[in-house]
Amino acid sequence: MLMILGAFGFFILTGCEDDDSPTSSAPAELEYIGSDACAECHEAISDKITNNGHGYKLNKVENGQAPSYPYTNVPTPPVGYDWDDISYVIGGFGWKARFVDLQGYIITGDAVQYNIETSGWSGYHSDEDPGTKPYNCGRCHTTGWKSTDDGGAHQDGMPGMAGQFSEPGVHCEACHGRGSRHVESSSADDIVRDTNSSMCGGCHYRNENHLIDASGGFIRHHEQYDEMISGGHRGLDCIECHDPHQGIQDPSYSYAASLAKCQECHTGANYAMHNGADCIKCHMPEATKSAVASNVYNGDLMTHIFAINTEAVGKDAMWYSDGKKAVGEVTLDFVCYQCHQDPDGVGGAGSPKTLEELSAKATGYHTP
């Protein structure tokens, strides 16, 4: 769910093993109380947050039963495994699911990642033997993570778990800090209420220098913070467009507030929308891939770059020479071939258009 440059250095991280989370420096006397305790007073927020993907970043398998999700399901573990062989599922709320064995190691191989959109399987670290890849991503996938490097225990006594946590998944105290003092005082002064986007950026980044990492012709996932601060919207905070307690899969979620935000700042622009498309459709195309891509122009996550390069250039202009970093503008093929087709018939169901035709239409489009 989630950019003030002054906080740019708040998280300079080198990998998900490090415990540099906002709550890791909390005073020793504070304790984690768990999201159930938060729900006793904050019932409405608790009800809403069950439709948010953060809480499903890591899901415990109990009694040999698959975890439950509000909109999706993970029907089976990889071939060769039963639910009794799985300790946790990584994700599964949307996009994909990976699996942790009974020793705490992430299962690797050729067909071990379940992709929600296609109900199919793909590889994950196929060059690494099963039982060798530790789970060390708890900093962004759990609440109250403390890595073994920092003195944490192996969660559940499993050697493959490279740390311990208060709760699996990203719950209240991952963002608001340890709640023991707040639950006693009921004072807002005794809980973290940080609305700066660097809070979200502690996990929604990939490159320690906040460049935009790319691979295989798409932006890599979970780097929305990098995208935002690389473009013209670095002054926005995530919560100006996102309700941090609500997920976009929630049927009650509306983009109306986001569109209003666009018009609030971009005054005087021509808002004549092309064939019903709105700001989000064009300025946040799915140039990012998490699990699967439907074609070379459509990944499965919206970009947060926003800026569009209206020149008649293809997606190769989206990347630096080695293809491993994205520039701060989205090319027209990502934008327009959501609906139109390229000259080879790839893209949407609409009429074929060349890049030259697209550029002629897009150049100066918002000029009154």
Side-chain angles (χ1 to χ4, degrees):
M1 257 185 296
L2 312 220
M3 309 195 162
I4 302 293
L5 190 59
F8 187 76
F10 192 82
F11 295 101
I12 300 297
L13 307 169
T14 57
C16 54
E17 299 92 344
D18 295 336
D19 185 16
D20 268 337
S21 62
T23 58
S24 64
S25 59
E29 68 269 17
L30 297 181
E31 297 179 354
Y32 291 100
I33 59 173
S35 53
D36 287 344
C38 304
E40 291 181 14
C41 292
H42 302 283
E43 184 177 359
I45 291 176
S46 178
D47 289 344
K48 183 163 60 172
I49 209 167
T50 59
N51 294 321
N52 183 309
H54 283 99
Y56 302 94
K57 290 298 180 184
L58 187 67
N59 310 275
K60 190 173 180 62
V61 175
E62 299 182 280
N63 302 316
Q65 299 295 314
S68 60
Y69 305 89
Y71 308 117
T72 59
N73 69 88
V74 180
T76 179
V79 171
Y81 295 87
D82 296 320
W83 283 116
D84 288 331
D85 303 317
I86 305 299
S87 60
Y88 289 89
V89 176
I90 305 169
F93 174 87
W95 297 286
K96 61 194 178 190
R98 294 170 182 159
F99 303 84
V100 180
D101 67 20
L102 296 181
Q103 296 300 307
Y105 294 97
I106 304 174
I107 295 175
T108 55
D110 292 325
V112 296
Q113 173 180 295
Y114 181 72
N115 298 317
I116 306 294
E117 184 176 335
T118 60
S119 299
W121 295 86
S122 60
Y124 177 69
H125 285 254
S126 303
D127 59 338
E128 298 182 35
D129 293 333
T132 63
K133 185 169 181 58
Y135 182 83
N136 55 16
C137 299
R139 186 184 60 79
C140 290
H141 282 233
T142 71
T143 301
W145 176 256
K146 186 175 184 179
S147 72
T148 52
D149 289 341
D150 291 325
H154 294 280
Q155 184 73 31
D156 302 334
M158 297 188 296
M161 278 282 178
Q164 65 186 81
F165 48 79
S166 171
E167 291 183 277
V170 179
H171 294 282
C172 310
E173 292 168 290
C175 298
H176 291 290
R178 307 180 195 195
S180 57
R181 182 181 298 161
H182 174 67
V183 78
E184 293 175 0
S185 70
S186 298
S187 170
D189 293 333
D190 289 331
I191 199 72
V192 175
R193 301 178 69 194
D194 186 353
T195 60
N196 191 291
S197 57
S198 63
M199 170 70 78
C200 309
C203 286
H204 289 267
Y205 90 105
R206 181 177 290 274
N207 183 282
E208 64 178 17
N209 295 315
H210 296 292
L211 303 175
I212 306 171
D213 284 358
S215 176
F218 291 96
I219 297 168
R220 301 181 71 185
H221 68 290
H222 79 66
E223 48 183 330
Q224 294 91 336
Y225 183 63
D226 299 339
E227 295 175 275
M228 284 286 290
I229 63 177
S230 294
H233 290 80
R234 65 178 61 198
L236 288 180
D237 282 332
C238 305
I239 64 168
E240 295 184 58
C241 297
H242 292 282
D243 178 344
H245 300 120
Q246 186 178 29
I248 61 174
Q249 292 88 348
D250 189 331
S252 66
Y253 186 89
S254 172
Y255 284 110
S258 300
L259 297 175
K261 172 59 68 175
C262 300
Q263 296 181 2
E264 178 183 315
C265 294
H266 295 279
T267 58
N270 171 26
Y271 281 100
M273 301 303 179
H274 179 60
N275 290 339
D278 57 25
C279 310
I280 291 171
K281 180 70 172 178
C282 293
H283 287 274
M284 300 183 71
E286 292 185 332
T288 302
K289 177 186 172 184
S290 174
V292 295
S294 55
N295 60 53
V296 295
Y297 307 120
N298 290 98
D300 53 7
L301 278 174
M302 295 185 296
T303 178
H304 281 65
I305 291 177
F306 296 101
I308 299 174
N309 179 352
T310 59
E311 296 181 11
V313 292
K315 61 184 296 184
D316 285 348
M318 179 89 174
W319 325 115
Y320 289 104
S321 58
D322 62 359
K324 295 182 179 180
K325 296 287 185 293
V327 301
E329 292 182 321
V330 182
T331 50
L332 283 175
D333 43 8
F334 277 118
V335 177
C336 301
Y337 292 144
Q338 296 177 82
C339 298
H340 291 288
Q341 298 176 23
D342 71 9
D344 295 322
V346 179
S351 58
K353 297 290 182 182
T354 65
L355 287 170
E356 288 73 21
E357 290 174 308
L358 297 177
S359 178
K361 181 71 174 181
T363 302
Y365 183 81
H366 289 300
T367 303

